[in-house]
Amino acid sequence: MARRISIAEEELVSLLKNKDQKGFNVLYNNYSGALFGVINKIVQSDDDANDLLQDTFLKIWRNIDNYDSSKGSIFTWMMNIARNLSIDKVRSADFRDSSQTISMEQNIIYQIDSEHQTMMDVDSIGLRKVVDNLKPEYRQLIELVYYQGYTQAEVSEEYGIPLGTVKTRIKAAVGSLRAMLSGLWLIVTILF
Amino acid sequence: MNIQEYIASGVLESYVLGLASEKEVAEVEQMAIKYPEIKAELRAIEDALESYAFANAQTPPAHLQSKIWEQIETEIGVEGKQTKVLDFDSGKEIDYDKQQAPKLTGFYGSYLRVAASVALLGSLLANIYFATQWKETKTNLSVAVNENIKLQKDLKSQEGVMQPSEVSLIMDPQIKMSKLVGQKGAENSTVMLAWDTKTNKVYVVRGNLPTPPAGMQYQLWAIVDDKPVDAGVFDIKNNTQELKKVPPAKAFAVTLEKQGGSPVPTSDIMVMGI
């Protein structure tokens, strides 16, 4: 599932390559929530998140011609742009110096606590319920590597887990997510 | 290399999560081109993580969309002109695309579509209900109008019918009834009088006379001692009119006089009786 976009990906990419506002609006309406969620989790600051969302869209716009659909989906590509910009920001000197800096541990606790999801995208409520059922350790692992840009080696070192186990767990976590989402897809299909 | 083993190794997840080494990345990309199963597996992993990102989506502040677009326009430049349309609400020119509502898809979109369908059905039922009510009201109104017309007709026809007060006047033993009949030139005219023998009051109960010309009125005369005594003027209408007090008269007569009456009769007698 997860193809929640209203137009085909190929169509979106060609719209973006045309560099017109329609393409931008489709892109923004479909992906800004997911990208903003990622950015917000990493930087934990409204002002920085707003700036980073802008930087992300500017970078997408500048680099759309470099996107190669054979190497992955448009979302994975955009997500990596958002994530890398946000991680760079968090690791930058001026961000570390600011009072808004939160340690990685605090960050994770914050992320796991779903009560903090104040600006919940309405489109994601159904999905959210499914994802909430993910085992905490799987969830934490996905948060670390997907959102925080931790390498497997860093996770292994930080949590004292053998590297091989980290890889296996990541695979299991993604597998668990896939299983749940296919179940959700079934329910949604039956209901509507 | 065994494809299933390769999938099971977890390298595809690493690739999608951006954790793979340069060597691994090149390898995965080669494998994906070569084996459709690996491409499909990569896609499934991407979808799962995309769903995870959507599950954690947060709505950015509303003003950001236009702000970012302005930034794109100024920094990068946009090829082609945007279609501008006039916005009815603000009266300002806006970009055509901005007036399009974002498309709702996925779970919530389906939910909204169902909700919209239910709302539409409700609206249709309400339409039927109110249309029926309206029809009923219309029927009720026409019934009421017809009843009103009938009542007005009845009221008109009632004018020829004696009222209870008139009946009791006629039936009163001290009242003397007198019928005046048409004279030459007014043979079809009649006037019914009532004279109270105790109070000497005289009443015109009914007058069947031609409508008088403008400025003229019928005047009743009591013939007392062979002389006409003014008994008052009256109108041609079908109800009892009280006139003047007159002494016991030998006869009564009606003439056509100027409005308000005349001290002496100046025209021919229309009706006369004892």
Side-chain angles (χ1 to χ4, degrees):
Chain A
M1 61 160 300
R3 299 266 72 84
R4 73 203 67 261
I5 35 176
S6 54
I7 62 165
E9 244 181 55
E10 294 77 21
E11 204 185 322
L12 173 64
V13 173
S14 78
L15 273 173
L16 294 180
K17 287 184 175 174
N18 282 343
K19 310 258 168 136
D20 66 7
Q21 195 178 359
K22 190 183 177 200
F24 170 76
N25 285 337
V26 173
L27 175 77
Y28 191 92
N29 290 332
N30 282 293
Y31 295 108
S32 63
L35 296 175
F36 194 65
V38 170
I39 294 165
N40 230 334
K41 279 201 170 198
I42 298 170
V43 299
Q44 310 271 313
S45 143
D46 287 348
D47 289 345
D48 287 321
N50 291 354
D51 289 346
L52 282 163
L53 186 68
Q54 180 165 317
D55 293 347
T56 300
F57 276 106
L58 279 167
K59 198 163 182 182
I60 290 168
W61 206 256
R62 284 194 196 102
N63 295 291
I64 188 64
D65 292 329
N66 299 332
Y67 167 68
D68 180 356
S69 60
S70 73
K71 290 182 178 175
S73 74
I74 183 84
F75 182 77
T76 303
W77 182 73
M78 294 190 297
M79 164 71 185
N80 283 331
I81 290 174
R83 185 171 65 159
N84 292 338
L85 284 172
S86 304
I87 290 167
D88 287 350
K89 177 77 184 172
V90 172
R91 290 178 180 173
S92 68
D94 68 311
F95 192 87
R96 272 203 302 270
D97 291 346
S98 82
S99 59
Q100 292 162 330
T101 306
I102 300 165
S103 77
M104 281 293 185
E105 276 74 21
Q106 282 177 306
N107 224 351
I108 299 306
I109 289 160
Y110 175 83
Q111 286 157 15
I112 290 168
D113 182 4
S114 62
E115 292 304 304
H116 282 83
Q117 291 292 330
T118 49
M119 287 197 296
M120 192 70 174
D121 188 317
V122 283
D123 196 30
S124 67
I125 290 166
L127 270 179
R128 179 86 204 173
K129 285 181 181 164
V130 173
V131 168
D132 279 346
N133 290 322
L134 202 62
K135 276 190 191 173
E137 61 264 37
Y138 287 165
R139 197 178 170 77
Q140 189 183 32
L141 208 51
I142 288 176
E143 297 281 350
L144 280 172
V145 296
Y146 196 41
Y147 284 124
Q148 303 301 329
Y150 269 45
T151 64
Q152 283 130 318
E154 281 169 338
V155 173
S156 170
E157 200 180 314
E158 184 114 357
Y159 293 89
I161 309 163
L163 188 61
T165 310
V166 173
K167 285 187 179 177
T168 316
R169 279 204 193 162
I170 289 171
K171 169 125 188 95
V174 175
S176 177
L177 198 57
R178 283 168 64 180
M180 284 174 177
L181 293 167
S182 59
L184 172 80
W185 184 235
L186 193 67
I187 291 163
V188 170
T189 311
I190 291 164
L191 285 179
F192 301 107
Chain B
M1 192 186 284
N2 185 312
I3 294 167
Q4 290 312 313
E5 270 177 30
Y6 191 68
I7 289 171
S9 73
V11 69
L12 300 182
E13 281 81 1
S14 298
Y15 174 83
V16 175
L17 288 165
L19 302 173
S21 67
E22 265 183 56
K23 188 180 161 245
E24 284 174 326
V25 168
E27 196 181 63
V28 169
E29 284 171 0
Q30 282 300 310
M31 293 289 280
I33 292 166
K34 225 170 160 186
Y35 302 104
E37 300 99 306
I38 289 180
K39 194 168 172 62
E41 185 69 11
L42 277 176
R43 189 69 200 208
I45 294 164
E46 285 189 307
D47 283 356
L49 289 170
E50 182 176 332
S51 293
Y52 189 80
F54 272 90
N56 292 290
Q58 295 178 14
T59 308
H63 71 275
L64 269 185
Q65 183 168 2
S66 56
K67 195 187 161 205
I68 293 172
W69 176 247
E70 278 166 29
Q71 194 76 13
I72 287 171
E73 276 187 312
T74 51
E75 276 193 21
I76 299 166
V78 184
E79 291 153 32
K81 275 189 172 177
Q82 290 304 307
T83 312
K84 299 272 183 183
V85 293
L86 199 65
D87 183 40
F88 277 104
D89 293 327
S90 64
K92 286 175 189 163
E93 272 199 335
I94 58 159
D95 294 324
Y96 175 71
D97 292 316
K98 278 184 186 166
Q99 67 165 7
Q100 291 180 333
K103 278 192 176 175
L104 280 163
T105 56
F107 179 82
Y108 190 67
S110 306
Y111 173 74
L112 262 195
R113 278 193 287 277
V114 170
S117 305
V118 170
L120 180 65
L121 184 67
S123 168
L124 285 173
L125 289 174
N127 282 348
I128 293 165
Y129 173 74
F130 286 121
T132 312
Q133 291 273 301
W134 178 73
K135 225 176 164 180
E136 205 175 294
T137 308
K138 215 177 143 189
T139 310
N140 287 345
L141 179 66
S142 71
V143 167
V145 167
N146 286 338
E147 267 179 14
N148 197 10
I149 290 167
K150 190 171 170 283
L151 281 173
Q152 281 183 353
K153 277 183 185 165
D154 286 353
L155 192 64
K156 273 207 173 120
S157 66
Q158 283 291 323
E159 285 172 1
V161 175
M162 279 200 173
Q163 298 304 304
S165 60
E166 293 177 319
V167 173
S168 63
L169 179 79
I170 292 163
M171 295 302 287
D172 192 329
Q174 67 190 34
I175 296 292
K176 193 183 161 207
M177 298 300 296
S178 180
K179 187 184 176 186
L180 314 186
V181 293
Q183 302 298 302
K184 201 171 174 231
E187 286 86 355
N188 292 328
S189 300
T190 52
V191 168
M192 185 64 78
L193 290 182
W195 182 65
D196 192 320
T197 53
K198 288 213 170 127
T199 64
N200 288 345
K201 276 184 191 169
V202 66
Y203 303 87
V204 172
V205 179
R206 290 287 185 274
N208 179 25
L209 292 160
T211 305
M216 306 292 276
Q217 237 178 343
Y218 288 110
Q219 189 166 4
L220 180 70
W221 305 95
I223 311 300
V224 181
D225 299 332
D226 295 333
K227 283 182 182 140
V229 175
D230 174 29
V233 292
F234 63 93
D235 297 315
I236 307 295
K237 26 180 213 186
N238 287 323
N239 57 4
T240 303
Q241 297 165 65
E242 186 183 325
L243 302 183
K244 291 180 176 176
K245 285 182 182 181
V246 289
K250 211 201 280 178
F252 290 95
V254 171
T255 59
L256 191 61
E257 303 295 342
K258 66 177 194 302
Q259 190 83 25
S262 162
V264 290
T266 60
S267 70
D268 294 338
I269 291 166
M270 301 275 295
V271 289
M272 206 174 110
I274 302 162

